[in-house]
Amino acid sequence: MKTVKTLGQFIIEKQADFPFAKGELSRLLRDIGIAAKIVNREINKAGLIDIIGETDSVNSHGERQKKMDVYANEQFISALRSGGECCVVASEENDEHILIESEISKHAKYIVAIDPLDGSSNIDVNVSVGTIFSIYRRKTVEGKATLADVLQKGTEQVAAGYVIYGSSTMLVYTTGKGVNGFTLDPSIGEFCLSHPGIKMPKDGYIYSINEGYYTHFPLGVKKYIKYCQVEDTATNRPYTSRYTGSMIADLHRNLIKGGIFLYPTTAQYPNGKLRLVYECNPMAFIIEQAGGTASTGYDRILDLDVDELHQRSAIFIGSEHMVKRAEDFMLAFSPQQPSIVQHKKVI
Ligand SMILES: O=P(O)(O)OC[C@H]1O[C@](O)(COP(=O)(O)O)[C@@H](O)[C@@H]1O
Ligand SMILES: [Mg+2]
Ligand SMILES: [Mg+2]
């Protein structure tokens, strides 16, 4: 009889990997799991309750907030506030970072950056959406945590994960020792280990990019898209184009099957659209831990300096060989002096 291992049991078991662990990170991951279940309950019945549609408020990105953006944001912040292990929350839906100043959190040392609902444009049309989270240990020890504690490089993450609300609901995370996936079993209300030790295929034949912006992409990206579409059975081309409009859904599919997701710079988003602190860095950590690669097309995402809470970045992320190939096209056709990493290979 196959035994079930719940997220809670797995986290406790893995705590042994960290000799000095006192259980704070375990409890923080538990709190995120609880909020994910509450949000999942509402998403599953989105069409039946008044959670469809937009609010009147606009977030700092100039986007009209969806009712579910606000609901998910409130649920995660409230779970982190009452759990006692988080001292600052940085959320896509809040202009500023939020200091958690409750009695229970006065010794809390963890920072949580979060995209409460990823793929918001899909919530009203029943396409998979997600939640993305990134966890850091605070740098400043005395007094209140500050913005500096939030603006740490991606390499400083102690954990990162996402929840995908799709045909099933899964929570996938890493603490820097591999990537594991848990599927929510509604009958027992628990996330159960279903995808232990996820490894991303080194190569694949799926590319994900919003080709509607083709004319606004750098030449290197245009050339790479053409490369994906050329007939060449020896290299599995033409690749298949898959783009859902939910970064989490596209990355989760590619993590399992292999593939590449690109959101490069465009005329509308000269620095890229996706946000470094709570979208690019956590996904880069997970994908790298699964054996994939994540860059701006030039530089490693996790090495990027973080200057602003809602800073944007171009992102090329996925199977190692596919991202390398796309980077080679950028170097050949859209040369830019890489600020951090020197690339050797040129086509
Ligand atoms: O519609 P576009 O420009 O292709 O953008 C889609 C991208 O924007 C996002 O929806 C941005 O995330 P949010 O929904 O959290 O704002 C990504 O999930 C997705 O990959
Ligand atoms: Mg998002
Ligand atoms: Mg969002």
Side-chain angles (χ1 to χ4, degrees):
M1 185 64 181
K2 190 168 172 287
T3 55
V4 167
K5 186 172 290 177
T6 68
L7 175 65
Q9 292 164 332
F10 183 86
I11 291 172
I12 299 299
E13 189 186 289
K14 290 295 168 194
Q15 210 174 289
D17 293 354
F18 303 89
F20 307 104
K22 299 196 201 78
E24 294 121 326
L25 183 60
S26 303
R27 289 190 289 275
L28 187 60
L29 290 167
R30 171 210 60 199
D31 301 335
I32 289 172
I34 292 167
K37 287 187 234 181
I38 296 168
V39 169
N40 179 64
R41 180 192 64 200
E42 300 307 304
I43 286 181
N44 280 352
K45 56 184 180 186
L48 298 173
I49 54 174
D50 180 28
I51 206 105
I52 289 275
E54 294 180 334
T55 66
D56 297 333
S57 54
V58 172
N59 64 21
S60 61
H61 317 281
E63 298 156 349
R64 283 283 294 275
Q65 290 177 310
K66 297 274 183 180
K67 290 180 182 169
M68 188 48 93
D69 279 322
V70 175
Y71 179 83
N73 197 38
E74 286 165 358
Q75 293 309 319
F76 280 98
I77 293 173
S78 130
L80 293 168
R81 198 184 289 284
S82 45
E85 303 300 346
C86 175
C87 59
V88 177
V89 177
S91 167
E92 176 194 0
E93 300 308 330
N94 298 85
D95 298 356
E96 310 296 331
H97 62 289
I98 304 157
L99 280 178
I100 306 290
E101 294 181 292
S102 56
E103 185 53 30
I104 188 179
S105 310
K106 73 170 183 268
H107 301 300
K109 61 179 183 208
Y110 289 109
I111 316 287
V112 177
I114 194 158
D115 176 355
L117 193 73
D118 180 66
S120 307
S121 63
N122 282 325
I123 186 67
D124 301 352
V125 290
N126 213 346
V127 172
S128 301
V129 292
T131 293
I132 312 172
F133 62 90
S134 167
I135 300 174
Y136 292 87
R137 198 172 284 111
R138 61 177 292 187
K139 286 279 178 211
T140 54
V141 279
E142 297 308 322
K144 292 182 181 155
T146 66
L147 183 58
D149 289 302
V150 179
L151 302 184
Q152 299 184 50
K153 280 189 180 186
T155 45
E156 301 301 309
Q157 291 175 94
V158 292
Y162 62 84
V163 184
I164 178 165
Y165 311 98
S167 43
S168 66
T169 295
M170 282 187 68
L171 189 152
V172 175
Y173 82 103
T174 184
T175 55
K177 295 185 183 288
V179 178
N180 294 283
F182 302 77
T183 301
L184 183 61
D185 179 341
S187 65
I188 59 172
E190 288 285 353
F191 283 106
C192 303
L193 183 62
S194 55
H195 295 66
I198 301 175
K199 287 277 172 259
M200 183 170 215
K202 289 291 178 199
D203 221 329
Y205 53 84
I206 294 172
Y207 71 104
S208 316
I209 187 167
N210 187 333
E211 291 187 64
Y213 304 147
Y214 180 85
T215 54
H216 302 292
F217 290 148
L219 182 57
V221 173
K222 291 177 179 169
K223 293 281 186 185
Y224 180 68
I225 292 172
K226 290 298 162 217
Y227 168 85
C228 294
Q229 297 167 344
V230 163
E231 186 75 34
D232 177 20
T233 44
T235 54
N236 278 322
R237 287 179 294 151
Y239 294 157
T240 296
S241 172
R242 289 278 184 278
Y243 189 78
T244 64
S246 294
M247 177 193 196
I248 282 301
D250 287 317
L251 287 188
H252 182 73
R253 180 202 52 242
N254 292 354
L255 175 62
I256 307 293
K257 289 190 158 186
I260 184 171
F261 173 92
L262 308 104
Y263 207 115
T265 58
T266 65
Q268 186 187 5
Y269 299 109
N271 300 316
K273 176 184 181 180
L274 300 171
R275 284 56 59 116
L276 185 56
V277 171
Y278 41 79
E279 290 173 319
C280 301
N281 269 334
M283 296 315 297
F285 188 21
I286 295 162
I287 295 293
E288 283 201 7
Q289 278 290 312
T293 303
S295 80
T296 61
Y298 306 105
D299 303 318
R300 183 183 178 221
I301 292 281
L302 295 179
D303 287 334
L304 294 178
D305 291 327
V306 184
D307 308 315
E308 293 161 29
L309 181 49
H310 301 290
Q311 180 175 330
R312 298 176 190 268
S313 175
I315 187 163
F316 292 47
I317 184 167
S319 294
E320 187 182 338
H321 299 163
M322 297 181 84
V323 174
K324 283 283 178 269
R325 168 73 63 180
E327 288 171 344
D328 293 338
F329 275 91
M330 290 301 281
L331 276 182
F333 297 100
S334 304
Q336 178 196 24
Q337 287 313 309
S339 53
I340 297 175
V341 183
Q342 293 301 325
H343 286 265
K344 294 186 204 55
K345 183 164 178 202
V346 175
I347 297 178

